[in-house]
Amino acid sequence: MKLKSLYRYSLALAVILTAAFSCTRDPNNPGKQYAPNMYLPVGYEPYRQEKANPINPMGLTMRLPVEGTVARRNYKTSFGGGDSAKVDLMVYNIPADSISISERVLKNPVPLNENTLAEGKVLFERYCQHCHGATGAGDGKVGAVYKGVPNYASDAYKNLNEGHIFHVITYGKARMWPHGSQINPEERWKIVHYVQKLQKGA
């Protein structure tokens, strides 16, 4: 009986001591953690690395952007060479629901020639043919299941202009999903050239 009582007293004392020490613990200390590196991120500074850059101010690896700078995607593309080189930023801020603005404003900056048409065909085969078919008749293998894919040469679609086509590739329309995240503006304009060729039944 004495041994049993001693055990009870020891257990009670252990509980009291544990509670007492727990109450005095530093509230900012999270205590023991299992594998904290798996769920606590390491904070890296985007402009600063382990070793300070001796050239830039404050040892930064990158310069801070000019005050008031607005971030935007910048596509700077040049065609031709020398003094005849054509440079376009290809940044378009037309909203998805403003296709009529695209029809009026957007013009294809990519020159139409054999090379750009050939590249447009390759891109069309990669991104469009599975729905629209090889000739743009809407008879692709996916289009046969998806239904409602238009024929480019039909009366309703053969006169759609370059801005309209570019806008639809970028933002999608009806059952067509947007492709702006997959195809950059230069590639979209090359596809537009090829689609316009298919509109003529060529």
Side-chain angles (χ1 to χ4, degrees), residues 172-186:
K173 186 182 179 186
R175 303 201 70 184
M176 177 172 165
W177 289 54
H179 287 67
S181 62
Q182 300 156 271
I183 314 170
N184 69 43
E186 180 185 349

Side-chain angles (χ1 to χ4, degrees), residues 37-199:
N37 59 320
M38 295 181 69
Y39 50 89
L40 293 179
V42 178
Y44 289 106
E45 293 294 332
Y47 293 99
R48 198 184 299 270
Q49 301 298 327
E50 292 179 14
K51 293 182 179 179
N53 188 321
I55 299 172
N56 288 341
M58 297 179 291
L60 300 179
T61 302
M62 288 178 62
R63 294 282 180 124
L64 293 169
V66 177
E67 187 176 348
T69 299
V70 177
R72 67 178 187 177
R73 298 173 72 179
N74 184 17
Y75 299 96
K76 187 173 182 180
T77 310
S78 62
F79 303 99
D83 295 335
S84 63
K86 180 179 179 182
V87 178
D88 295 280
L89 290 177
M90 292 191 184
V91 177
Y92 307 102
N93 296 317
I94 299 173
D97 61 353
S98 302
I99 194 167
S100 60
I101 297 175
S102 294
E103 291 174 346
R104 294 193 313 270
V105 174
L106 297 184
K107 300 297 177 187
N108 197 334
V110 178
L112 175 59
N113 53 47
E114 289 183 9
N115 289 336
T116 55
L117 199 58
E119 290 172 25
K121 180 181 180 182
V122 171
L123 292 164
F124 180 87
E125 290 169 348
R126 185 179 301 160
Y127 295 104
C128 315
Q129 184 171 313
H130 51 276
C131 281
H132 291 279
T135 62
D139 56 355
K141 290 184 178 180
V142 176
V145 177
Y146 211 52
K147 308 294 184 189
V149 180
N151 182 345
Y152 293 143
S154 66
D155 290 340
Y157 294 92
K158 66 182 180 182
N159 294 320
L160 293 177
N161 72 5
E162 55 198 349
H164 181 105
I165 298 167
F166 182 89
H167 191 98
V168 172
I169 294 171
T170 304
Y171 295 112
K173 186 182 179 186
R175 303 201 70 184
M176 177 172 165
W177 289 54
H179 287 67
S181 62
Q182 300 156 271
I183 314 170
N184 69 43
E186 180 185 349
E187 292 172 334
R188 278 176 255 163
W189 282 122
K190 290 175 181 177
I191 293 173
V192 169
H193 276 317
Y194 189 70
V195 167
Q196 290 191 303
K197 178 185 176 183
L198 296 177
Q199 284 177 308

